[in-house]
Amino acid sequence: MIEITSLGVRFGATRVLDGVDLTVAAGSLTCLLGANGAGKSTLIRCAARILSPTAGSIHLDGRPQHEFDRREFARLLAYVPQTVPTDTPLTALELVQLGRTPHLRNGIGARDREVIFEVMERLRVARYAMRPLAELSGGERQRVALARALVQEPRILLLDEPTSALDLRHQLETMGIVRGLARESGLAVLMAMHDLNLAARFGGEIALLADGRIQARGAWDRVLTPASIRAAYGVDARVGRVEGLPYILPVGV
């Protein structure tokens, strides 16, 4: 579980987050939405202990975030950034193997190899195993980075725009896998993203961030209304369902 209370972040005189309250329960997927500059990545990076907030607190599984040592933290929480560096000689398999580091004692054992194989097969990246990351497309690298996170076997998963470089098929596959893992494995997943339609379809809960605060939280049809979309994005939109699936259609600015 992630419990964020009264979180504030300032960069100099600029207030990025102000009084953010957000809870992500075990077994659930929360999609964090908002316009560019709304603070989505900042919030994710605070939860990942990459940035230090200037106010408020973050508890993970009931404990203050700062109480975990590095090994405990890496077993508890995995983070996937927006981009994966390409200036590295690592192959896809070598990057994924790094995700097992918190569990290793005397090298990679049979259990570790089993986890790595299963995750890479599930994400359809096993065929890239021996290819250098620099030779992969942006979307392929994103899926390899997600595989690295999943082999950590975390209880909390933080994703920063994990579908931004993926084609339509891989967007649907990835979102389905993440939602399935949340439900099957009891993961608490917080995912920052821009695609309102994917969020509406796959997110168990939507959190809409604007002006440094969570403006609305809940089911997609309560949060993603024409009025809230206009307020957060400055866009007029039509919202509805087609054959039971949600849609958000921007129609003008």
Side-chain angles (χ1 to χ4, degrees):
M1 174 182 284
I2 308 170
E3 297 173 279
I4 298 171
T5 306
S6 301
L7 196 74
V9 175
R10 285 181 176 271
F11 298 135
T14 302
R15 183 198 69 188
V16 180
L17 298 174
D18 182 23
V20 170
D21 295 310
L22 182 64
T23 298
V24 182
S28 69
L29 166 60
T30 294
C31 292
L32 182 64
L33 303 179
N36 289 335
K40 300 184 300 298
S41 293
T42 298
L43 181 56
I44 293 283
R45 287 163 65 85
C46 284
R49 281 202 323 199
I50 296 169
L51 293 177
S52 297
T54 52
S57 65
I58 300 176
H59 284 67
L60 305 174
D61 279 0
R63 289 174 59 187
Q65 182 193 53
H66 65 270
E67 286 189 356
F68 294 90
D69 64 32
R70 291 182 63 184
R71 193 178 189 89
E72 281 183 305
F73 192 75
R75 288 181 173 182
L76 170 72
L77 182 147
Y79 161 68
V80 180
Q82 289 184 26
T83 58
V84 182
T86 58
D87 56 345
T88 171
L90 292 178
T91 64
L93 176 60
E94 288 169 335
L95 180 70
V96 174
Q97 286 176 335
L98 288 176
R100 290 303 293 173
T101 302
H103 300 276
L104 300 183
R105 294 295 182 183
N106 297 301
I108 295 178
R111 164 65 179 157
D112 303 303
R113 286 190 288 270
E114 179 183 350
V115 171
I116 290 166
F117 175 78
E118 288 179 354
V119 169
M120 293 188 76
E121 282 291 319
R122 186 167 189 177
L123 289 177
R124 300 177 185 268
V125 297
R127 61 184 182 272
Y128 312 139
M130 306 312 297
R131 290 177 59 188
L133 291 173
E135 294 182 4
L136 301 181
S137 70
E140 290 166 346
R141 285 195 299 273
Q142 275 189 317
R143 289 159 59 208
V144 170
L146 178 58
R148 181 206 56 77
L150 293 178
V151 302
Q152 287 178 232
E153 297 185 294
R155 298 194 300 276
I156 295 170
L157 182 61
L158 305 176
L159 305 172
D160 196 353
E161 299 186 31
T163 61
S164 60
L166 302 182
D167 59 36
L168 288 174
R169 174 180 175 175
H170 288 116
Q171 285 179 357
L172 293 173
E173 285 183 350
T174 299
M175 292 298 294
I177 287 169
V178 171
R179 182 176 64 181
L181 286 168
R183 293 174 175 176
E184 297 161 15
S185 304
L187 281 175
V189 184
L190 178 60
M191 176 187 299
M193 60 193 307
H194 280 297
D195 193 314
L196 304 189
N197 286 287
L198 280 178
R201 180 168 176 176
F202 290 96
E205 182 169 80
I206 304 297
L208 184 60
L209 188 62
D211 297 324
R213 293 178 176 270
I214 300 294
Q215 301 296 326
R217 279 180 55 194
W220 77 271
D221 52 353
R222 295 181 57 191
V223 174
L224 296 178
T225 65
S228 68
I229 293 170
R230 161 54 69 180
Y233 294 95
V235 170
D236 292 321
R238 294 176 182 170
V239 178
R241 295 178 187 266
V242 175
E243 297 183 357
L245 296 176
Y247 72 82
I248 295 93
L249 178 65
V251 296
V253 297

